[in-house]
């Protein structure tokens, strides 16, 4: 399970439990630059994808990859190289070539320029933005607890993700992973990666989309996450049985 921007493997502290109870081994690593005392300055989405590849190569059999938000994009980038048994994307960041479908997505793509050359620095988490767009369905206590664990994010990785059309290296370009079943899950009220954009991402990968109405962006931890986990496991069990 691969976390998103400004976060760490702790995002899945609760979400992993049903999978483990069902007999799955679950690993929730921190991406490079996201551990205690680490500095993400200058890290690329390619670095994140490479870390996912190395993690997958440590297993004896092809793992299932589950990625949230920017971590979902890292999983997409890694999937063509490691051919996971299945790929589940929770509110995934879109790859190169997938345009946003809302004004909010456009605003997030240009808003970071207020910080100056943000792609050269680490960007600190912003409580107001987290409260409005990511942690919006958590109660005040849970929201502050989650925000307190957030860490700076690589401005370069954010630029490659949010401003992909300016990236001459097409860093986040992906292709459908050959033979890998793909499920993308969207929150019906997600303003960061809304259902219409998530559907485009799923179509790019030859996958299916499921929308959880009433949910927002923090799918692994906001109220209702249990239903999301159950939906993932139902799809995963059916998919793995069909491949056996």
């Amino acid at each position: 399970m691969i976390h998103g921007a400004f976060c760490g493997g702790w995002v899945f502290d609760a979400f992993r439990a049903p999978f483990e109870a069902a007999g799955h081994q679950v690993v929730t690593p921190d991406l490079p630059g996201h551990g205690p005392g680490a500095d993400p300055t200058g890290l690329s989405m390619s670095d994140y994808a490479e870390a996912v590849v190395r993690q997958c190569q440590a297993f004896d059999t092809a793992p299932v990859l589950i990625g949230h938000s920017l971590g979902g994009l890292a999983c997409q980038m890694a999937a063509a190289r490691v051919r996971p048994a299945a790929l589940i994307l929770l509110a995934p960041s879109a790859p190169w070539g997938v345009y946003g479908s809302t004004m909010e997505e456009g605003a997030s793509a240009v808003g970071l320029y207020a910080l100056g050359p943000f792609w050269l620095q680490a960007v600190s988490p912003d409580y107001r933005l987290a409260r409005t767009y990511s942690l919006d369905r958590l109660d005040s206590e849970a929201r502050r607890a989650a925000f307190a664990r957030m860490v700076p994010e690589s401005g370069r990785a954010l630029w490659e993700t949010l401003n992909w059309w300016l990236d001459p290296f097409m860093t986040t370009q992906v292709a459908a992973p050959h033979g890998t079943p793909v499920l993308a899950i969207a929150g019906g009220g997600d303003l960061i990666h809304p259902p219409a954009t998530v559907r485009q991402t799923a179509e790019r990968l030859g996958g299916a989309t499921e929308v959880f109405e009433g949910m927002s962006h923090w799918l692994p931890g906001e109220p209702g996450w249990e239903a999301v986990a159950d939906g993932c496991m139902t799809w995963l069990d059916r998919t793995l049985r069909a491949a056996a």
Side-chain angles (χ1 to χ4, degrees):
M1 296 183 178
I2 307 299
H3 66 83
F6 302 102
C7 295
W10 56 266
V11 166
F12 300 105
D13 282 354
F15 193 79
R16 65 185 293 167
F19 292 84
E20 291 174 323
H24 296 285
Q25 177 190 1
V26 179
V27 178
T28 60
D30 293 336
L31 288 173
H34 291 72
D39 181 4
T41 301
L43 290 174
S44 167
M45 283 301 303
S46 295
D47 296 312
Y48 297 166
E50 180 62 32
V52 176
V53 170
R54 290 197 303 270
Q55 183 73 67
C56 292
Q57 290 173 338
F59 298 113
D60 294 330
T61 58
V64 173
L65 279 178
I66 300 179
H68 176 234
S69 196
L70 182 141
L73 178 54
C75 288
Q76 294 171 57
M77 295 169 65
R81 293 175 57 187
V82 301
R83 295 193 177 183
L87 178 61
I88 298 176
L89 307 171
L90 307 175
S93 297
W96 196 97
V98 172
Y99 287 91
S101 56
T102 66
M103 291 295 292
E104 286 84 359
E105 290 171 283
S108 67
V110 300
L112 285 170
Y113 284 93
L115 300 176
F118 67 92
W119 51 90
L120 300 177
Q121 56 190 277
V123 177
S124 296
D126 183 293
Y127 182 75
R128 181 185 61 83
L129 293 176
R131 179 188 62 194
T132 303
Y133 296 108
S134 185
L135 307 176
D136 48 300
R137 295 192 63 242
L138 300 183
D139 61 38
S140 178
E141 181 179 357
R143 183 184 306 125
R144 292 193 176 278
F147 184 78
R149 302 184 73 176
M150 289 185 170
V151 297
E153 183 54 69
S154 165
R156 179 182 176 184
L158 292 174
W159 181 82
E160 291 169 342
T161 301
L162 298 175
N163 294 265
W164 55 261
W165 59 89
L166 297 175
D167 180 5
F169 302 105
M170 302 170 65
T171 304
T172 64
Q173 186 178 36
V174 302
H178 179 71
T180 298
V182 179
L183 173 66
I185 294 179
D190 189 348
L191 297 178
I192 296 179
H193 301 316
T197 306
V198 172
R199 286 193 184 93
Q200 291 184 68
T201 297
E203 290 169 1
R204 173 69 63 89
L205 300 170
T209 303
E210 184 173 355
V211 179
F212 282 75
E213 299 295 345
M215 295 196 71
S216 185
H217 186 69
W218 201 251
L219 295 178
E222 67 182 57
W225 68 262
E226 298 92 341
V228 176
D230 183 66
C232 289
M233 288 193 295
T234 298
W235 178 85
L236 186 58
D237 290 342
R238 183 173 64 248
T239 299
L240 296 181
R241 282 199 304 269

mmCIF file of all heavy atoms in Angstrom, residues 41 47 62 81 117 169 181 194 210 225:
data_model
loop_
_atom_site.group_PDB
_atom_site.id
_atom_site.type_symbol
_atom_site.label_atom_id
_atom_site.label_comp_id
_atom_site.label_asym_id
_atom_site.label_seq_id
_atom_site.Cartn_x
_atom_site.Cartn_y
_atom_site.Cartn_z
ATOM 1 N N THR A 41 13.390 17.218 -0.926
ATOM 2 C CA THR A 41 13.779 18.212 -1.927
ATOM 3 C C THR A 41 14.455 17.559 -3.130
ATOM 4 O O THR A 41 15.395 16.773 -2.982
ATOM 5 C CB THR A 41 14.742 19.248 -1.316
ATOM 6 O OG1 THR A 41 14.108 19.889 -0.209
ATOM 7 C CG2 THR A 41 15.123 20.307 -2.338
ATOM 8 N N ASP A 47 11.683 8.754 -8.863
ATOM 9 C CA ASP A 47 12.286 8.201 -7.652
ATOM 10 C C ASP A 47 11.255 7.424 -6.840
ATOM 11 O O ASP A 47 11.551 6.365 -6.281
ATOM 12 C CB ASP A 47 12.879 9.318 -6.793
ATOM 13 C CG ASP A 47 14.021 10.038 -7.485
ATOM 14 O OD1 ASP A 47 14.915 9.347 -8.011
ATOM 15 O OD2 ASP A 47 14.019 11.285 -7.509
ATOM 16 N N ALA A 62 4.354 -11.967 -7.419
ATOM 17 C CA ALA A 62 3.859 -10.654 -7.815
ATOM 18 C C ALA A 62 2.873 -10.136 -6.770
ATOM 19 O O ALA A 62 1.884 -10.807 -6.464
ATOM 20 C CB ALA A 62 3.192 -10.735 -9.179
ATOM 21 N N ARG A 81 6.572 -2.176 -15.077
ATOM 22 C CA ARG A 81 7.871 -2.837 -14.877
ATOM 23 C C ARG A 81 7.744 -4.091 -14.010
ATOM 24 O O ARG A 81 8.486 -5.058 -14.213
ATOM 25 C CB ARG A 81 8.855 -1.863 -14.236
ATOM 26 C CG ARG A 81 9.229 -0.704 -15.133
ATOM 27 C CD ARG A 81 10.104 0.289 -14.399
ATOM 28 N NE ARG A 81 11.319 -0.328 -13.867
ATOM 29 C CZ ARG A 81 12.180 0.302 -13.071
ATOM 30 N NH1 ARG A 81 11.943 1.562 -12.728
ATOM 31 N NH2 ARG A 81 13.261 -0.324 -12.630
ATOM 32 N N PRO A 117 9.689 29.346 -7.255
ATOM 33 C CA PRO A 117 10.153 28.123 -7.931
ATOM 34 C C PRO A 117 10.002 26.905 -7.014
ATOM 35 O O PRO A 117 10.992 26.331 -6.544
ATOM 36 C CB PRO A 117 11.618 28.432 -8.250
ATOM 37 C CG PRO A 117 12.033 29.392 -7.186
ATOM 38 C CD PRO A 117 10.808 30.240 -6.893
ATOM 39 N N PHE A 169 10.123 15.818 -20.280
ATOM 40 C CA PHE A 169 10.550 14.437 -20.138
ATOM 41 C C PHE A 169 9.365 13.474 -19.995
ATOM 42 O O PHE A 169 9.558 12.261 -19.937
ATOM 43 C CB PHE A 169 11.474 14.288 -18.931
ATOM 44 C CG PHE A 169 12.697 15.155 -19.013
ATOM 45 C CD1 PHE A 169 12.804 16.290 -18.239
ATOM 46 C CD2 PHE A 169 13.725 14.849 -19.890
ATOM 47 C CE1 PHE A 169 13.924 17.102 -18.311
ATOM 48 C CE2 PHE A 169 14.855 15.663 -19.973
ATOM 49 C CZ PHE A 169 14.949 16.792 -19.187
ATOM 50 N N PRO A 181 -5.062 -6.679 -13.906
ATOM 51 C CA PRO A 181 -6.383 -6.101 -13.676
ATOM 52 C C PRO A 181 -6.255 -4.803 -12.876
ATOM 53 O O PRO A 181 -5.442 -4.713 -11.951
ATOM 54 C CB PRO A 181 -7.108 -7.183 -12.863
ATOM 55 C CG PRO A 181 -6.283 -8.418 -13.019
ATOM 56 C CD PRO A 181 -4.878 -7.963 -13.226
ATOM 57 N N PRO A 194 -11.583 14.199 -8.830
ATOM 58 C CA PRO A 194 -13.004 13.855 -8.930
ATOM 59 C C PRO A 194 -13.249 12.644 -9.823
ATOM 60 O O PRO A 194 -12.375 12.229 -10.599
ATOM 61 C CB PRO A 194 -13.627 15.124 -9.515
ATOM 62 C CG PRO A 194 -12.514 15.791 -10.242
ATOM 63 C CD PRO A 194 -11.273 15.483 -9.470
ATOM 64 N N GLU A 210 -14.977 2.506 -9.750
ATOM 65 C CA GLU A 210 -16.085 2.429 -8.796
ATOM 66 C C GLU A 210 -16.115 3.730 -8.006
ATOM 67 O O GLU A 210 -15.073 4.194 -7.534
ATOM 68 C CB GLU A 210 -15.922 1.250 -7.844
ATOM 69 C CG GLU A 210 -17.101 1.071 -6.896
ATOM 70 C CD GLU A 210 -17.017 -0.192 -6.069
ATOM 71 O OE1 GLU A 210 -16.081 -0.989 -6.294
ATOM 72 O OE2 GLU A 210 -17.895 -0.391 -5.211
ATOM 73 N N TRP A 225 -14.406 4.386 5.299
ATOM 74 C CA TRP A 225 -13.259 3.685 4.716
ATOM 75 C C TRP A 225 -13.453 2.177 4.749
ATOM 76 O O TRP A 225 -12.913 1.460 3.876
ATOM 77 C CB TRP A 225 -11.962 4.065 5.428
ATOM 78 C CG TRP A 225 -11.842 3.584 6.858
ATOM 79 C CD1 TRP A 225 -12.103 4.292 7.991
ATOM 80 C CD2 TRP A 225 -11.436 2.279 7.286
ATOM 81 N NE1 TRP A 225 -11.889 3.521 9.104
ATOM 82 C CE2 TRP A 225 -11.472 2.269 8.702
ATOM 83 C CE3 TRP A 225 -11.034 1.116 6.630
ATOM 84 C CZ2 TRP A 225 -11.140 1.150 9.460
ATOM 85 C CZ3 TRP A 225 -10.705 -0.012 7.383
ATOM 86 C CH2 TRP A 225 -10.751 0.016 8.783
#
